Amino acid sequence: MPMPFATNSARVDRPAIAVSAAARPVIQLEDVTVGWNGVPALSGVTGTFLEGSLTAILGPNGAGKSTLLKTVTGQLTARTGRVTIHDHFRGGISLLPQISEIDRSFPITTYDLVSMGAWRRVGAFRRYDKGERQRIHDALATVGLTDKSRDLISSLSGGQMQRALFARLIVCDAPVMILDEPFTAVDEGTCDLLLQILLDWHREGRTVLVVLHDAALVRQCFPQTLLLARQVVGWGDTASVLTDANLDQARSLALGGF
Ligand SMILES: Nc1ncnc2c1ncn2[C@@H]1O[C@H](COP(=O)(O)OP(=O)(O)OP(=O)(O)O)[C@@H](O)[C@H]1O
């Protein structure tokens, strides 16, 4: 389990892409409370992810970050409040789950895993045309896994598996990308490569939400931050959210629980 607010990264300049004043809302949360087995994990969450924004979701362990992602992707239902995915983006959201949630023993190859990214366009049981096959090969090349395409995913290292999951997202080609701790347990070279891919998605105008634990990386590369500690501590411009006072409040709220 990563430590909250680790600070070990200083590799890439923050992208100088502002969210347009005319950006449309993509995902809106209104006073959302959601929990597990009747116990609230997040309470009173209100805010909007705008089109083209690149948002880091940061908070101590158990702060509700994964719970939030599961709520916006429809895996969990809010107990109260409302989650709205706006019409233009419905069906256009791709998720990279925490690597620990993936059954690595499932007997499929790296190519099969990456090709699943095309299911939304092609369907699970139809043959892929030449264009889709090329897209899969290109994605494998982008993440440096061409020579692993025939290997079972059970043989991949943690970093290679994360690269394969990114390749699946590249094939998905969705306008909204949601990633849960994509840099956990990966080597520095993989982290740099995946970060560049993620920043490229932002440059292309996609909406990107990323759960992270590395505050230094967030300060450097993420224009927007949602700081969570079982509730919203701050949501907006990263510099105004990641203040010492807010980080202290997040730590104390998460430690105290509610
Ligand atoms: N499957 C589950 N069943 C029951 N409770 C859960 C489940 N998943 C999460 N929780 C609880 O919900 C709360 C928030 O957990 P969540 O995983 O969303 O936090 P997080 O901020 O993503 O934490 P971490 O950084 O440790 O991954 C915690 O108290 C956790 O124990």
Side-chain angles (χ1 to χ4, degrees):
M1 182 70 68
M3 292 297 291
F5 313 138
T7 54
N8 63 358
S9 192
R11 290 180 286 270
V12 191
D13 290 332
R14 184 194 287 212
I17 301 161
V19 175
S20 149
R24 296 174 293 187
V26 177
I27 301 164
Q28 263 177 316
L29 299 115
E30 296 164 71
D31 201 17
V32 168
T33 294
V34 58
W36 298 91
N37 309 320
V39 181
L42 279 172
S43 297
V45 178
T46 295
T48 303
F49 294 100
L50 288 174
E51 184 178 17
S53 57
L54 171 59
T55 307
I57 301 171
L58 194 70
N61 293 321
K65 303 178 295 294
S66 297
T67 299
L68 181 84
L69 296 195
K70 289 188 168 104
T71 307
V72 301
T73 54
Q75 299 168 68
L76 278 177
T77 305
R79 284 173 59 193
T80 59
R82 186 154 45 155
V83 179
T84 306
I85 311 293
H86 283 268
D87 289 349
H88 284 91
F89 305 98
R90 222 167 271 159
I93 298 179
S94 286
L95 173 71
L96 183 141
Q98 271 193 35
I99 203 161
S100 58
E101 295 189 355
I102 292 170
D103 180 4
R104 301 270 303 272
S105 67
F106 201 68
I108 57 170
T109 65
T110 309
Y111 183 95
D112 294 334
L113 176 75
V114 175
S115 70
M116 286 174 189
W119 280 7
R120 202 182 340 236
R121 289 185 299 275
V122 180
F125 301 107
R126 298 243 312 274
R127 257 183 85 80
Y128 292 165
D129 64 20
K130 198 174 165 193
E132 291 293 354
R133 291 199 301 275
Q134 187 62 49
R135 201 191 288 254
I136 295 161
H137 284 296
D138 289 348
L140 282 161
T142 299
V143 300
L145 284 183
T146 301
D147 62 340
K148 300 282 178 195
S149 65
R150 290 164 186 263
D151 294 5
L152 290 173
I153 59 168
S154 56
S155 72
L156 300 179
S157 68
Q160 289 168 339
M161 184 66 189
Q162 203 62 274
R163 288 172 186 239
L165 292 171
F166 263 71
R168 185 172 70 173
L169 282 194
I170 292 171
V171 172
C172 273
D173 196 24
V176 185
M177 303 287 202
I178 299 182
L179 301 95
D180 199 348
E181 300 195 23
F183 307 130
T184 296
V186 301
D187 59 274
E188 195 172 325
T190 297
C191 184
D192 288 348
L193 172 73
L194 301 184
L195 183 58
Q196 286 300 340
I197 292 171
L198 198 150
L199 296 177
D200 283 345
W201 288 335
H202 176 51
R203 284 186 201 99
E204 291 163 8
R206 299 176 206 266
T207 308
V208 186
L209 286 57
V210 191
V211 167
L212 290 168
H213 280 268
D214 184 341
L217 179 66
V218 173
R219 283 197 176 91
Q220 194 173 8
C221 297
F222 289 75
Q224 304 284 309
T225 297
L226 166 55
L227 181 59
L228 281 180
R230 297 177 168 251
Q231 63 186 59
V232 175
V233 178
W235 191 345
D237 175 65
T238 292
S240 63
V241 170
L242 289 191
T243 62
D244 289 345
N246 278 350
L247 291 171
D248 284 347
Q249 191 191 355
R251 286 189 190 96
S252 65
L253 280 169
L255 283 177
F258 47 90

